[in-house]
Amino acid sequence: MKVLVINCGSSSLKYRLIETDTKTVICKGLCERIGIGGGHFKYEVIGSDNGYEKDVEFPDHNTAVDTLIKAITDPDKGVVSDVSEIGAVGHRIVHGGDKFTGATYITPEVMSVIEECSDLAPLHNPANVQGIKSCRKVMPDTAMVGVFDTAFHQTLPEEAYLYGIPYEYYEKYGIRKFGFHGMSHEYVSKETAAIMGKDVKDVKTIVCHLGNGASITAVDGGRSVDTSMGYTPLDGIIMGTRCGSLDPEIVHALVEKTGKSLDEVMKLLNFESGVYGLSDYMSSDMRDIRDACKNGNMAAKRAFNTYIYVIVKYIGAYMAVLGGADAITFTAGIGENSSSVRKQVCDRLKGLGVELDDEANNNGHGARLISTASSKVKVYAIPTDEEMSIALSTVEVLNKQNKV
Ligand code: AMP
């Protein structure tokens, strides 16, 4: 089946058309600067030079969806002859609260619940909802499925998702850990089991999704049992510009000492902290930090070392949570590409049975084992593919609903 995957942000829309039977991408692209002027459209056809880029004004998400559907169905450069060839649309939805434990067929009732979750992700969910509405306009008869960043973590036990605050605030306001990057953690933990030649039910894996946003998840038999992001994606390990976990009193202290408002401090913690802030605003990009470290830059070293330390701490904690791990898997931009981050992390885990194979770590490509044969805990680098995960989940939901 051809599944159109839509990842809709407030001013951008990423799309990908996937043939799920063969797990191949047919085309992909991006609509940029929706609603803010100066829009740009990218369309890439895999294995063909029919792709192009052009400036297009996108006053709203409807125009963006119109543009991409016209590109896909264009008689000359398109990849399908009619929109009816698209079997389903899979929408990435950031927050499903505790209402969705898996990918869900989108009915009007489901739409209302997704809208209710908007207060948990005010920057993301309204855009996701808009994406669904825009697709509905052009494809009123096509099945739509919502795939949630939070759903994979709905298996967290109570002891892992509760915070140490009065229980009534969980009951009244739903303050709890949700976790994010669920599609990636699910996909990568399944791939880890597959590459080990084992059933996912028999494997304990720690998945390190290290991208600009980053989270680490303990996966026991295919179920998420703890994860580093929390009520919001600000929690957990240090990220590109996000601070990760810190003493809540620091927020209070920053408001008092800097004279910034609470909103300004929250902005600082989201956009000016993490690797970027620790490196004296040098860069949030690990490639820049790595290069600056090589040149002996102390600010870059400080940021790098702190970043590594926090990752090691979370992995150690999750080894305890799992009662020992069979595998640690690195994924996402940094996890897949940075041999130096993997090396520094794994070297600090030697005492816990982790032995990196330097040759495989430095020189291999793609999904692979990067630990030695004698390493008690196997280490893998596996590219994540959130879009493929969304497409496959979409088909799974339709199969269950007998919609295919
Ligand atoms: P993502 O959010 O998964 O797209 O990851 C983005 C991050 O991956 C960038 O900010 C870079 O820091 C990092 N990255 C990408 N390629 C490399 C590389 N070859 N080496 C180190 N870091 C990389």
Side-chain angles (χ1 to χ4, degrees):
M1 181 195 284
K2 290 184 179 61
V3 175
L4 179 63
V5 174
I6 296 285
N7 183 354
C8 207
S10 56
S11 64
S12 71
L13 186 156
K14 286 187 209 154
Y15 65 93
R16 196 169 277 212
L17 186 64
I18 292 176
E19 176 52 70
T20 53
D21 296 343
T22 52
K23 294 190 183 175
T24 48
V25 179
I26 301 168
C27 70
K28 61 180 180 177
L30 177 65
C31 305
E32 289 174 294
R33 299 185 62 85
I34 300 169
I36 50 178
H40 193 71
F41 178 67
K42 285 185 189 162
Y43 172 61
E44 183 187 342
V45 182
I46 309 305
S48 140
D49 54 9
N50 273 346
Y52 55 85
E53 289 188 30
K54 60 178 180 179
D55 289 336
V56 189
E57 283 309 315
F58 297 122
D60 51 33
H61 288 80
N62 293 340
T63 341
V65 172
D66 272 344
T67 306
L68 81 87
I69 292 296
K70 278 196 185 112
I72 290 174
T73 56
D74 182 78
D76 286 336
K77 295 184 182 284
V79 287
V80 293
S81 50
D82 188 82
V83 79
S84 61
E85 280 185 44
I86 299 171
V89 184
H91 292 270
R92 178 191 201 148
I93 298 169
V94 167
H95 222 307
D98 53 9
K99 305 287 193 301
F100 298 102
T101 54
T104 304
Y105 189 80
I106 301 175
T107 60
E109 293 74 32
V110 167
M111 270 295 265
S112 309
V113 182
I114 297 170
E115 284 180 294
E116 278 168 30
C117 293
S118 282
D119 64 332
L120 290 166
L123 296 178
H124 297 103
N125 271 36
N128 302 154
V129 167
Q130 188 52 54
I132 300 169
K133 286 180 177 165
S134 298
C135 286
R136 274 253 184 274
K137 278 208 166 87
V138 198
M139 295 173 272
D141 301 323
T142 309
M144 309 256 165
V145 170
V147 186
F148 301 87
D149 262 8
T150 47
F152 183 57
H153 303 298
Q154 281 297 303
T155 49
L156 254 56
E158 185 184 64
E159 68 216 31
Y161 71 67
L162 284 180
Y163 290 110
I165 58 174
Y167 188 68
E168 62 170 313
Y169 296 111
Y170 163 65
E171 288 184 304
K172 275 190 199 153
Y173 309 117
I175 306 286
R176 53 158 285 174
K177 173 179 283 205
F178 289 107
F180 298 85
H181 294 137
M183 286 155 274
S184 177
H185 289 295
E186 181 174 16
Y187 178 83
V188 171
S189 52
K190 280 184 182 161
E191 288 292 301
T192 304
I195 212 170
M196 292 175 93
K198 291 188 174 178
D199 192 311
V200 73
K201 290 197 171 60
D202 301 324
V203 181
K204 295 178 179 187
T205 312
I206 297 172
V207 179
C208 304
H209 176 111
L210 309 179
N212 217 0
S215 62
I216 300 183
T217 295
V219 184
D220 190 349
R223 294 160 66 83
S224 170
V225 294
D226 204 351
T227 189
S228 60
M229 281 180 168
Y231 180 64
T232 74
L234 185 58
D235 196 11
I237 64 169
I238 288 171
M239 296 169 234
T241 64
R242 285 175 241 165
C243 59
S245 304
L246 42 76
D247 177 350
E249 271 299 340
I250 292 171
V251 176
H252 187 211
L254 285 173
V255 169
E256 248 181 25
K257 289 176 197 290
T258 64
K260 290 182 193 287
S261 68
L262 181 59
D263 277 355
E264 286 167 337
V265 166
M266 292 316 296
K267 219 170 139 192
L268 169 108
L269 299 176
N270 271 287
F271 302 108
E272 293 162 36
S273 298
V275 168
Y276 176 66
L278 277 166
S279 66
D280 275 342
Y281 314 114
M282 180 192 303
S283 178
S284 63
D285 193 305
M286 196 47 75
R287 286 163 291 199
D288 298 336
I289 297 296
R290 178 198 58 198
D291 292 347
C293 283
K294 280 186 192 154
N295 294 331
N297 183 294
M298 293 311 290
K301 281 190 180 170
R302 176 176 62 217
F304 187 81
N305 292 343
T306 315
Y307 178 76
I308 298 293
Y309 178 76
V310 176
I311 293 171
V312 168
K313 220 163 53 161
Y314 268 94
I315 293 176
Y318 289 168
M319 279 190 162
V321 163
L322 289 169
D326 300 305
I328 297 169
T329 304
F330 291 92
T331 193
I334 299 168
E336 289 163 28
N337 296 303
S338 177
S339 52
S340 57
V341 165
R342 295 191 301 251
K343 165 87 178 150
Q344 295 300 320
V345 169
C346 290
D347 277 359
R348 294 192 68 148
L349 293 168
K350 272 185 186 156
L352 295 175
V354 176
E355 214 177 88
L356 200 67
D357 176 338
D358 286 329
E359 171 62 25
N361 184 45
N362 294 333
N363 300 326
H365 291 286
R368 66 193 189 281
L369 179 72
I370 56 169
S371 54
T372 62
S374 58
S375 182
K376 272 205 281 188
V377 181
K378 302 297 172 207
V379 186
Y380 297 90
I382 297 183
T384 192
D385 193 340
E386 290 172 301
E387 287 78 11
M388 187 62 72
S389 178
I390 293 171
L392 297 177
S393 298
T394 298
V395 174
E396 228 172 79
V397 168
L398 297 184
N399 280 335
K400 276 189 201 146
Q401 300 248 335
N402 290 327
K403 301 269 185 194
V404 284

